Amino acid sequence: MSIRWKIALIVLFSLSVLLRVVWLDADGPTELSYRIWPFSITDEGWWSHNAKIRVLQGTWEDGASFNPMAQCPGHSHLLYVWFSAFGVSLQSMRSLSLFLGVLSILFVYRIFSTMLSKEDTFCAVLLYAFHPLALFLSRVGTNDLPATTFALLALSLATWPGIVAAVMA
């Protein structure tokens, strides 16, 4: 890869990260919210409630007083660890999605670099990094981006030369 490609990749990756970081505490337009009455799926408090209760009160929500759909075990535990490290706040909750969004870009690069030319990999990473839905999901504290990131991690490990043989042995 020439120095120009490396510089372009670093600049565009930095711009993608910047788009995710700027105004992290700002609310998006309400028309972006898709709804299942009476709850909004993009209601971040809905998805983080169980982890917030665990950090603030020391116990997990039992499900009797809260919708069990929002008690995704993996996401709740990940948020609990994140809240324990960085405190309970809107920015903290969204920064987990931001971190995982940046990580998912790296996984997309890792996956496609094993299959495509450097230029095609660069295009694939750009399409993912600047896709409006990927940008949106990396700025809200829902469980969509953690699921996407872990799926990309699995694909990244599966395309790693020798890792599948080592695991299966």
Side-chain angles (χ1 to χ4, degrees):
M1 184 181 280
S2 71
I3 191 73
R4 285 164 130 196
W5 279 106
K6 289 180 182 177
I7 291 172
L9 186 62
I10 290 170
V11 167
L12 289 171
F13 180 74
S14 300
L15 179 61
S16 173
V17 172
L18 183 66
L19 285 173
R20 287 165 166 79
V21 172
V22 174
W23 300 299
L24 192 58
D25 61 346
D27 285 333
T30 56
E31 56 272 0
L32 288 179
S33 179
Y34 47 102
R35 294 188 164 276
I36 297 176
W37 185 88
F39 302 106
S40 169
I41 298 291
T42 56
D43 180 2
E44 299 158 293
W46 202 47
W47 293 108
S48 66
H49 178 76
N50 202 14
K52 178 183 70 175
I53 293 298
R54 173 74 168 121
V55 170
L56 298 178
Q57 296 178 358
T59 60
W60 290 105
E61 186 72 41
D62 64 1
S65 61
F66 197 68
N67 188 336
M69 180 180 162
Q71 296 181 347
C72 303
H75 188 243
S76 291
H77 285 81
L78 194 59
L79 267 176
Y80 166 68
V81 170
W82 199 261
F83 283 164
S84 297
F86 300 107
V88 178
S89 70
L90 180 66
Q91 292 86 355
S92 176
M93 178 180 47
R94 289 180 176 177
S95 67
L96 174 62
S97 291
L98 183 146
F99 172 74
L100 293 174
V102 171
L103 204 56
S104 69
I105 295 170
L106 298 175
F107 289 149
V108 167
Y109 175 79
R110 172 69 190 92
I111 292 164
F112 285 104
S113 67
T114 62
M115 296 184 265
L116 302 173
S117 69
K118 289 182 174 51
E119 292 81 9
D120 292 340
T121 299
F122 183 70
C123 289
V125 169
L126 280 180
L127 285 173
Y128 178 76
F130 290 100
H131 189 279
L133 185 60
L135 285 169
F136 172 71
L137 290 176
S138 66
R139 295 183 53 87
V140 295
T142 61
N143 65 346
D144 302 306
L145 199 66
T148 302
T149 303
F150 285 114
L152 288 170
L153 170 62
L155 288 171
S156 179
L157 290 175
T159 59
W160 200 295
I163 194 94
V164 174
V167 170
M168 300 304 279

